[in-house]
Amino acid sequence: MTLKYIDPYLKTRNIELINDLKGGRIQGPSVIELNAIAKCNRSCSFCPISDEDFYKSNDYHGRMSKDFFHMFISKLIDINFSGKVLFAALCEPLLHKDIYYFVSILRKEVENVSIEIVTNGDVLNASRLKKLFDEGLDTLCISMYDGDYQIQHFKEMIKESNVPEDKVKLRRRYLKNGNYGMTISNKGGLIDVSEIAIKEELPLKKICYYPFYHMMIDLNGDVMPCCHDWQKKCIIGNLNDNSIMEIWESKMESQLRYNLSKSNRNMEPCKTCDVPGDLVGRERFEEWMSQNRN
């Protein structure tokens, strides 16, 4: 059984969310997370992708196209988006052959966007690292799963690339001092983590802030309110058919926020999810509450 652990990078994330409150008001999502490709080169025991049939059985196929990405950018421009576009979700983003192009065109077309990638770093080298930042990346988070030796490996790579050290976040994801450097979750009920994490009684009777700042977009355009809905049980729209704000302000999304504001998780996918959900985003939630008192 591992100890609970809160990733210190969440403090940075919370500051970003506060800074994105335009005039103190919520005007759409602050973090839009992209699932760019149905592929990962690893098979971690605490991840649903350890099931070789995961992508197929949950309707994830192929990779995000350039045409779709251009459409996505146009919809960001429509709402004057100034938050974070996060390449992470249910894949290894650096396996997408167009990842450098995506970063480059996003930087050129969306003036105030922040661009972040989460990677396991397996396909990185100094030249690829440099190219990502040359194209316009703001932050690269490297999740290290293997051991302490990776720290020196990536530090040497960063030095060779001449990328500023503060732009690359090295995050421990292996067992040390009784924890994995992160909060282990059951991925919306997909995996049993009882042997390595404290088992919670579900559904949790607590608030969750994710839908008050976050939106996840799958490679086919499906939109979910949360990156923990791995089985796509709560598709609130599709970017091919709806604008970002149509989805953000939809009845389905609004009802989800209302339920969670009352600490009611008795709906899909929340009823089987053990994610705390209240580690970042409190200020966004409080602003939503102030805007929806009636």
Side-chain angles (χ1 to χ4, degrees):
M1 185 71 63
T2 60
L3 302 174
K4 285 192 174 182
Y5 182 89
I6 298 176
D7 189 338
Y9 185 58
L10 292 180
K11 293 181 179 179
T12 300
R13 176 80 77 231
N14 201 52
I15 292 171
E16 293 171 344
L17 295 179
I18 294 171
N19 291 340
D20 194 48
L21 279 169
K22 301 177 179 65
R25 295 184 63 80
I26 297 174
Q27 298 179 20
S30 182
V31 178
I32 299 180
E33 184 169 353
L34 300 181
N35 186 45
I37 186 170
K39 189 174 184 180
C40 185
N41 61 303
R42 287 200 170 224
S43 180
C44 302
S45 61
F46 51 81
C47 176
I49 297 171
S50 59
D51 176 1
E52 63 180 16
D53 293 324
F54 168 77
Y55 288 122
K56 181 179 180 180
S57 59
N58 289 281
D59 197 27
Y60 295 105
H61 306 284
R63 59 171 60 90
M64 190 171 285
S65 69
K66 285 184 176 180
D67 287 343
F68 177 87
F69 198 78
H70 279 281
M71 182 267 289
F72 167 62
I73 286 177
S74 70
K75 297 197 175 189
L76 292 179
I77 295 171
D78 287 344
I79 63 170
N80 193 28
F81 184 76
S82 61
K84 180 186 294 292
V85 171
L86 173 63
F87 293 89
L90 294 66
C91 71
E92 169 48 54
L94 297 189
L95 296 179
H96 198 301
K97 64 184 181 65
D98 296 319
I99 189 66
Y100 302 104
Y101 176 80
F102 288 166
V103 172
S104 176
I105 195 67
L106 187 56
R107 171 58 58 220
K108 290 174 183 175
E109 297 293 332
V110 187
E111 183 177 0
N112 296 314
V113 71
S114 173
I115 310 172
E116 181 175 317
I117 294 176
V118 177
T119 176
N120 58 38
D122 289 352
V123 299
L124 269 181
N125 56 35
S127 63
R128 290 171 181 168
L129 181 58
K130 182 178 185 302
K131 182 173 176 58
L132 284 169
F133 284 93
D134 286 346
E135 298 294 355
L137 187 66
D138 291 296
T139 306
L140 184 71
C141 294
I142 302 178
S143 300
M144 302 178 298
Y145 295 100
D146 297 339
D148 284 343
Y149 77 89
Q150 289 185 289
I151 298 174
Q152 187 60 32
H153 167 72
F154 285 117
K155 283 187 174 181
E156 291 174 359
M157 185 186 299
I158 295 166
K159 183 177 181 180
E160 182 182 349
S161 71
N162 289 319
V163 170
E165 288 185 15
D166 63 341
K167 297 288 187 181
V168 184
K169 313 298 182 184
L170 301 181
R171 307 193 301 182
R172 177 175 61 84
R173 296 294 185 257
Y174 50 87
L175 184 61
K176 185 177 181 180
N177 299 326
N179 65 77
Y180 284 88
M182 62 178 173
T183 301
I184 299 290
S185 76
N186 67 7
K187 303 298 187 290
L190 258 180
I191 56 175
D192 180 5
V193 295
S194 58
E195 292 187 5
I196 58 174
I198 298 173
K199 190 171 184 177
E200 305 274 5
E201 183 179 348
L202 302 175
L204 297 180
K205 295 179 176 63
K206 65 184 302 183
I207 201 165
C208 178
Y209 298 145
Y210 269 98
F212 298 90
Y213 68 86
H214 190 277
M215 175 182 284
M216 190 180 96
I217 302 176
D218 191 21
L219 53 91
N220 70 346
D222 285 341
V223 179
M224 284 71 71
C226 173
C227 55
H228 296 282
D229 186 9
W230 286 59
Q231 291 181 295
K232 299 206 287 188
K233 292 180 178 180
C234 185
I235 297 175
I236 54 175
N238 188 291
L239 209 62
N240 291 294
D241 306 315
N242 311 104
S243 71
I244 290 172
M245 292 309 296
E246 284 173 342
I247 297 171
W248 181 257
E249 296 174 344
S250 67
K251 289 182 179 180
M252 190 173 181
E253 178 83 303
S254 297
Q255 184 63 52
L256 182 66
R257 291 193 191 103
Y258 176 80
N259 289 346
L260 292 174
S261 75
K262 303 296 184 182
S263 299
N264 175 14
R265 296 197 184 194
N266 195 24
M267 63 278 180
E268 297 287 8
C270 310
K271 65 183 181 182
T272 56
C273 178
D274 65 354
V275 172
D278 60 353
L279 300 181
V280 299
R282 178 175 59 83
E283 291 79 7
R284 297 268 301 187
F285 165 72
E286 290 175 348
E287 176 55 30
W288 179 87
M289 288 290 288
S290 72
Q291 294 178 27
N292 291 271
R293 288 190 186 187
N294 297 325

